[in-house]
Amino acid sequence: TLAVIFYSWLVVAYADNLPKYDDLHDAFGFFIEYHKANSWHEKLQSFFHPNNEHVTLVNHLIYWLQVTIKGELDFRQLVWLGNLIIIATALLASRLHQTNQPYLSFIVIVGFLSLSFWDSSFKAMTSLSNQAVIFFALLSLIWAEKNRWGLAVIAALLCHYSQSNGIFIWPLLLLMCKLSSNHQPKPFWLVGIAAFFSTMLYIIIIIHYKAITDVSLPEVNQGSIAVVYQTLLMQPLLALHACINFIGSAWLSPEHPWLITSIGIVLFALFLMRFNRYEKVLKHQVIFLFLIFLLISMIIIAFTRATAYQDAHAINTSRYKMYPLLFSLLVISMYLMQLKQRLI
């Protein structure tokens, strides 16, 4: 409770009402499209206006609601809301072990409620979308475990349309359908149909906006593919090195690159050892699949940064520290729980 109160005080004290970087395109870009619309279906279409490769529908709904209710965009309040999502994620993740062991909750909550990813949590757009995609991914898996598949699909849709890496929640939900002990075909088909239409809609939106606007989308062309291919050919271990660095970067500053790499290797090894048998995966389905979601997200972020800068250590200063931080906290807390059980 004290950790949540102290963190909330920091956010209230240091948040400001200034748009920063992605806020300009995500918030104002949406309202430009919205007010240019001449019909209801064009206004509806504006909610799906992409920010780079991200279709931030959840953000746009929040912006629209705030302006509709208050009459203006207040970026301070948007940052507060984004950090409420951070707090909700910490509280939700702290209960994953399903044990009456307060110290595990304490470790996850206090560890995650830090300012290690302040460059993300104090900007309106990123504090909302970067955090919402993690929160809704976790919520979707938790509801799926409780056989509330309708709610799980809704959370997965919100996850997908918070940020582009949310698309990976769909294969994980499908996998959870198969892992479930009381597997029934109905949830599998429900998730499969939702995943298909959600993915197709995302692809159509990206292609559509790339064709009709000058929106800054990632260039998938001969040049960019050639750069990636050349990088992999000349430095085949660059992407792997960057991923390991990213996993270990949550706890140290960039001034300790090789220590960061060592911690990343240890944490990844601990993860593999913890889930080295199918029985362990079945016992901790939600934690395992959520860690996979975090791992996939880290691989994408690390690979793109390493390729762009031709440096495996470039990722050590990333604003996306919430991914390795939550990954390492959950892995460490699982071993602490196992250690206490053995001592008892």
Side-chain angles (χ1 to χ4, degrees):
T1 302
L2 289 175
V4 172
I5 292 173
F6 179 67
Y7 181 79
S8 301
W9 173 80
L10 287 174
V11 173
V12 171
Y14 289 102
D16 57 48
N17 192 23
L18 293 174
K20 304 175 185 72
Y21 303 105
D22 289 325
D23 296 342
L24 299 172
H25 184 260
D26 192 55
F28 298 131
F30 157 63
F31 279 111
I32 289 171
E33 291 292 316
Y34 183 80
H35 288 293
K36 280 166 50 180
N38 296 315
S39 61
W40 68 267
H41 59 85
E42 288 181 351
K43 287 188 180 294
L44 179 63
Q45 180 179 303
S46 68
F47 282 88
F48 294 89
H49 181 70
N51 177 34
N52 295 320
E53 74 274 22
H54 306 295
V55 180
T56 52
L57 171 64
V58 173
N59 284 16
H60 297 162
L61 288 171
I62 293 170
Y63 302 150
W64 179 81
L65 283 171
Q66 188 187 54
V67 170
T68 301
I69 295 169
K70 192 178 179 182
E72 64 177 1
L73 272 176
D74 188 324
F75 289 93
R76 181 186 290 107
Q77 292 180 356
L78 294 173
V79 170
W80 291 350
L81 180 58
N83 280 272
L84 281 177
I85 297 173
I86 294 175
I87 293 171
T89 303
L91 295 174
L92 205 59
S94 71
R95 302 178 65 85
L96 280 178
H97 297 295
Q98 298 178 341
T99 60
N100 295 320
Q101 298 179 9
Y103 76 96
L104 290 177
S105 298
F106 175 81
I107 289 170
V108 174
I109 292 172
V110 173
F112 192 60
L113 295 182
S114 70
L115 296 181
S116 61
F117 43 87
W118 65 271
D119 191 33
S120 170
S121 53
F122 280 89
K123 298 173 185 172
M125 180 266 174
T126 50
S127 66
L128 289 170
S129 62
N130 287 357
Q131 307 303 330
V133 69
I134 297 174
F135 173 75
F136 286 122
L138 179 54
L139 189 63
S140 179
L141 293 171
I142 289 173
W143 272 336
E145 186 186 41
K146 297 179 182 297
N147 285 319
R148 298 178 181 177
W149 290 100
L151 292 174
V153 166
I154 292 171
L157 285 168
L158 292 172
C159 174
H160 185 182
Y161 288 98
S162 294
Q163 198 163 267
S164 60
N165 60 312
I167 195 172
F168 294 105
I169 192 61
W170 295 117
L172 298 179
L173 269 186
L174 288 169
L175 181 57
M176 194 162 192
C177 289
K178 291 296 185 181
L179 291 175
S180 178
S181 57
N182 55 347
H183 168 63
Q184 297 176 357
K186 186 177 179 181
F188 183 84
W189 284 108
L190 172 66
V191 174
I193 292 170
F196 174 78
F197 283 105
S198 181
T199 304
M200 291 305 298
L201 177 61
Y202 173 77
I203 294 171
I204 291 169
I205 290 167
I206 294 297
I207 293 174
H208 172 71
Y209 273 98
K210 180 66 174 175
I212 68 169
T213 71
D214 59 353
V215 65
S216 175
L217 295 173
E219 295 183 3
V220 183
N221 54 34
Q222 196 79 15
S224 60
I225 293 174
V227 169
V228 172
Y229 176 75
Q230 186 177 14
T231 301
L232 290 175
L233 192 65
M234 296 181 65
Q235 303 181 66
L237 297 179
L238 179 66
L240 177 62
H241 189 187
C243 293
I244 294 297
N245 281 348
F246 195 26
I247 294 172
S249 68
W251 302 97
L252 294 171
S253 67
E255 284 73 28
H256 307 88
W258 295 109
L259 190 54
I260 286 174
T261 303
S262 301
I263 292 174
I265 292 171
V266 171
L267 285 170
F268 187 63
L270 288 174
F271 165 72
L272 293 178
M273 288 189 296
R274 189 66 185 85
F275 295 103
N276 60 352
R277 292 205 305 270
Y278 184 65
E279 295 78 13
K280 294 181 179 179
V281 172
L282 287 178
K283 187 178 180 181
H284 302 285
Q285 292 177 38
V286 173
I287 297 179
F288 172 73
L289 293 174
F290 184 56
L291 288 173
I292 292 294
F293 178 82
L294 296 175
L295 197 58
I296 291 172
S297 301
M298 286 190 285
I299 289 170
I300 294 170
I301 295 167
F303 177 74
T304 54
R305 296 303 184 278
T307 303
Y309 296 101
Q310 299 290 300
D311 182 7
H313 294 287
I315 195 65
N316 296 350
T317 58
S318 171
R319 76 175 83 167
Y320 301 104
K321 291 288 185 73
M322 71 287 289
Y323 289 101
L325 185 61
L326 196 51
F327 181 88
S328 57
L329 284 169
L330 288 175
V331 170
I332 291 169
S333 62
M334 290 195 76
Y335 275 92
L336 289 175
M337 180 179 66
Q338 186 179 24
L339 177 62
K340 185 174 181 180
Q341 289 172 347
R342 288 183 177 180
L343 291 175
I344 294 173

